């Protein structure tokens, strides 16, 4: 017998959703064959059979939430396929570690203290979310008064959006689909960023002629030498780092009443995938050559599309580049990737008539947008940063000379 | 010179529990006690011996009356010497028990009278007059209280006794006057009435048991009156003359009017207790008790660094279990932990028949504070266990906040009320609502069901009355 356990999910990830079982109880499985897919806030991961045998039962059905160490199912090692055994009462609960001794003075709120009978009734009768009620009782327990207050607060709330507890009716030509955990996380993070930051966007435009000429001149030789195509992203990553070095506020984050400046440049590059947007991080991008950047982005993009991103690939970015241009966007205001303080929006390159030295000339132009957290980056810094990016793209030799 | 983490002056419920808790927490602790036994007033001349006599006298009375209605015909004969001996045996066993707990927890018992001579210094004068000085990082004053004397009525412990004397009368008084209708007076008055005395209670106020919920007190008084206790309320005792055969007491109506003289074989003065803080050397560390003798503290810290005080010597209900709570919180704070006592949740019990027990606020207090509350009440006459046992006197009453339903006070009058109140102490510590009790299964048939039915009554769904 071998329990199939939920693996460690990575730093700061405490639970996962069972996305899909590829086997059902009673199926014969081979060692290392994928049994079940899990989704976390950040990545999808697969759990393989630890040995040859038969999947005896499934403890955590699809849609169940599991913690690291929780039993997903059980494998009868070496057994031959037969009728599935009756599963014991499904238990998605992981064995909890012994609680650490509470610090003496402050009464630590009991996270999962059972509800008092009265609160239990009120919560059940009114579809309240017990976890969302602030408890005023001993060690943070929810009292009847707390539950009544929550009920009253809900009654007084101005036309609250349909609460998940009371889903609205579906009409004939509508379809209800549960948001994936990834989508839910994206939704929550975006809203959190909007709520937390004093976010605004500044724009500029960049003449892509010089970079395009450079690229045209060297693209074959570049590909031959490095085995990777020379794209525009590498120039933008270089240009962004050039700008961040001039305006360190954009590479910093707010922590309480402090500002944390980061002397490393880990650039998140937004990648659209089937399941949604992910932002893998290119580490120490300032130390990479153009070819190194192209290779790195290529590898991350492939991993993202294959659903193979690891948590480490997604954590710890200091600045993000988003490219709406690949879908044809001419101008947009990207939302910050909290707790970062800046995000650059690239857009579609479009030929437009420009006035140059008193002459109208046609130039390949791109609008640039920088959304930034005004709490930490002031207007001058934001504009300066964007101008630095523009200058570096319009005159790539600046990157060489660092001016 | 011996150096301690904590020296506790006084070995009563505050002091001995402080010693035990200190020992448990690994502090080097000593308790200074001048009595020849540990346990203080509570074990030696208070709660314990009075309960021993209350229990014995209740059975004696039942044997002579109620037994016959149950079909048991006996004619009990009082052996007062044996009754006093069983009381003394129990007390001895209990005080020895504390000595054992001291050994178990490595608490030192220093015999003698303690006095603070300076910061961190305690001088102990033993019975033989020898003096030792001890040093401690912390000193805890747990000296308790003593009966308050009544001007004009001198305690001689012969005919005019205090609670200590009333626990060891050599005979059953033909008549006994109890001055003070508080808990102690009514308990000891009950003991002697059951054993045959004619008992009259003289009280200055126009009600008995001040502090008790008024409706409850009224029901309680009716029960005692039915048993033969006579009450003279609103009456002030102005003088007493004791002779070999009895006492003649001068009593005046508080409202004014002619004085009268009451005669009784014995008089018990039970008008209250006062902190016992004299002769402690408080002046040596700059502590001045208030005019009633209480030591002011902030979470048990006195104005003198390193000097703490708990129990009857400080403000709050003068009860053994309150002192015990103080002791735990105080010692835990000394050990650098968190300590807190909610005096609103210190229950009170009167161990008469019927018993009275309560915790939290009375109706009068809630009205005074302008709190909107609801009442649920259930009579024991509708409780099956009470009926079966022919013990239907009294009721349980639950007071809860009109809005949040949080239980604010519980008042029970009836046999075993003291055993029933603990449920509500726990509930209230968890800020429970009356509905929380109403929705919890209680065993049937028990008196505890009355407590649940009363809780149901708060929201109007009492089912069995």
């Amino acid at each position: 017998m071998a329990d199939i356990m939920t693996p460690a999910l990575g730093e700061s990830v405490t639970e996962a959703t069972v996305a899909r079982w590829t086997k059902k109880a009673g199926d014969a499985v081979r060692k290392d064959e994928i049994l079940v897919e899990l989704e976390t806030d950040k990545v999808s991961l697969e759990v393989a059979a630890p040995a040859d045998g038969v999947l005896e039962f499934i403890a955590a059905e699809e849609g169940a939430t599991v913690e690291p160490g929780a039993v997903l199912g059980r494998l009868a090692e070496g057994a031959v396929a037969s009728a599935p055994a009756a599963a014991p009462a499904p238990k998605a609960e992981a064995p909890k570690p012994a609680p650490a001794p509470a610090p003496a003075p402050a009464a630590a709120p009991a996270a999962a203290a059972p509800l008092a009978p009265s609160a239990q009734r009120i919560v059940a009768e009114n579809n309240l979310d017990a976890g969302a009620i602030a408890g005023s009782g001993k060690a943070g327990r929810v009292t009847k008064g707390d539950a009544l207050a929550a009920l009253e607060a809900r009654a007084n709330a101005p036309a609250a959006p349909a609460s998940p507890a009371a889903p609205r009716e579906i009409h004939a030509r509508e379809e209800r689909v549960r948001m994936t955990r990834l989508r839910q996380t994206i939704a929550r993070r975006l809203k959190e960023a909007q709520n937390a930051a004093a976010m605004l966007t500044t724009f500029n435009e960049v003449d892509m002629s010089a970079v395009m000429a450079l690229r045209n001149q060297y693209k074959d030789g570049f590909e031959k030498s490095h085995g990777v195509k020379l794209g525009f992203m590498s120039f933008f990553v270089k240009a962004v780092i050039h700008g961040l070095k001039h305006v360190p506020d954009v590479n910093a984050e707010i922590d309480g009443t402090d500002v944390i400046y980061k002397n490393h440049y880990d650039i998140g590059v937004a990648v659209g995938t089937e399941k949604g947007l992910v932002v893998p991080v290119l580490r120490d991008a300032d130390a990479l050559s153009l070819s190194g950047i192209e290779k790195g982005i290529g590898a991350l993009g492939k991993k993202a599309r294959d659903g193979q991103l690891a948590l480490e690939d997604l954590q710890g970015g200091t600045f993000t580049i988003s490219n709406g241009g690949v879908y044809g966007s001419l101008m947009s205001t990207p939302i910050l990737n909290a707790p970062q303080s800046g995000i650059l929006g690239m857009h579609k390159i479009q030929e437009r008539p420009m006035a140059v030295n008193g002459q109208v000339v046609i130039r390949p132009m791109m609008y640039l947008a920088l959304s930034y957290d005004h709490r930490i980056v002031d207007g001058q810094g934001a504009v300066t940063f964007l101008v630095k990016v523009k200058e570096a793209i319009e005159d790539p030799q600046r990157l060489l000379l660092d001016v | 010179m011996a150096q301690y983490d904590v020296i506790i002056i006084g070995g009563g419920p505050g002091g001995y529990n402080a010693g035990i808790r200190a020992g448990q927490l690994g502090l080097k602790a000593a308790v200074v006690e001048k009595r020849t036994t540990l346990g203080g007033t509570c074990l030696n001349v208070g709660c314990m011996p009075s309960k021993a006599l209350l229990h014995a006298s209740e059975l004696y009375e039942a044997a002579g009356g109620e037994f016959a209605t149950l079909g048991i015909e006996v004619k009990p004969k009082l052996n007062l010497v044996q009754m006093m001996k069983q009381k003394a045996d129990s007390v001895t066993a209990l005080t020895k028990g504390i000595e054992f707990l001291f050994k178990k927890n490595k608490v030192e018992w220093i015999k003698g009278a303690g006095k603070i001579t300076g910061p961190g210094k305690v001088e102990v004068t033993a019975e033989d007059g020898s003096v030792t000085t001890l040093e401690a990082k912390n000193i805890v004053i747990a000296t308790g209280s003593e009966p308050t004397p009544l001007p004009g009525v001198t305690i001689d412990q012969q005919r005019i006794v205090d609670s200590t004397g009333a626990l060891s009368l050599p005979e059953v008084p033909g008549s006994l006057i109890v001055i003070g209708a508080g808990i102690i007076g009514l308990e000891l008055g009950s003991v002697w009435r059951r054993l045959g005395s004619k008992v009259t209670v003289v009280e200055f106020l126009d009600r008995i048991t001040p502090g008790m919920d008024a409706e409850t007190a009224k029901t309680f008084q009716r029960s005692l009156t039915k048993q033969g206790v006579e009450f003279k309320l609103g009456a002030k005792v102005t003088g007493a003359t004791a002779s070999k055969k009895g006492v003649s007491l001068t009593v005046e109506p508080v409202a004014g009017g002619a004085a009268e003289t009451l005669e009784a074989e014995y008089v018990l003065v039970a008008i209250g207790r006062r902190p016992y803080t004299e002769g402690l050397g408080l002046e040596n560390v700059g502590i001045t008790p208030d005019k009633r003798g209480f030591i002011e503290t902030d979470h048990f810290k006195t104005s003198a660094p390193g000097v703490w005080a708990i129990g009857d010597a400080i403000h709050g209900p003068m009860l053994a279990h309150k002192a015990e709570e103080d002791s735990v919180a105080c010692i835990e704070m000394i050990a650098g932990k968190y300590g807190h006592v909610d005096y609103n949740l210190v229950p009170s019990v009167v161990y008469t028949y019927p018993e009275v027990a309560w915790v939290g606020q009375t109706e009068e207090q809630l009205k005074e504070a302008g709190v909107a509350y609801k009442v649920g009440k259930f009579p024991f006459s509708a409780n099956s266990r009470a009926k079966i046992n022919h013990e239907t006197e009294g009721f349980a009453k639950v007071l809860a906040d009109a809005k949040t339903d949080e239980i604010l006070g519980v008042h029970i009058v009836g046999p075993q009320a003291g055993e029933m109140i603990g449920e509500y102490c726990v509930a209230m510590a968890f800020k429970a609502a009356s509905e929380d009790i109403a929705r919890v299964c209680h065993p049937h048939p028990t008196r505890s069901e009355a407590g649940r039915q009363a809780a149901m009554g708060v929201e109007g769904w009492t089912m069995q009355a």
Side-chain angles (χ1 to χ4, degrees), chain B residues 296-313:
Chain B
E296 298 288 343
T297 64
D298 175 18
H299 288 84
F300 317 114
K301 283 191 193 91
T302 68
S303 57
V307 181
W308 309 68
I310 60 173
D312 286 2

Side-chain angles (χ1 to χ4, degrees), chain A residues 233-249:
Chain A
M233 275 308 290
S234 48
F235 289 101
F236 274 95
V237 169
K238 280 280 180 202
V240 158
I241 291 166
H242 177 69
L244 291 175
K245 284 182 172 168
H246 275 86
V247 189
D249 288 348

Side-chain angles (χ1 to χ4, degrees), chain B residues 33 127 160 328 330 353 363 403:
Chain B
E33 172 57 58
E127 222 176 354
I160 303 179
V328 172
C330 176
Y353 185 96
E363 287 203 56
K403 188 160 191 279

Side-chain angles (χ1 to χ4, degrees), chain B residues 145-166:
Chain B
S145 59
E146 58 181 354
T148 307
L150 179 61
V153 185
T154 312
I155 308 281
D156 58 16
Q157 300 294 30
Q158 299 295 317
R159 291 287 162 174
I160 303 179
V161 297
D162 60 11
S163 56
T164 305

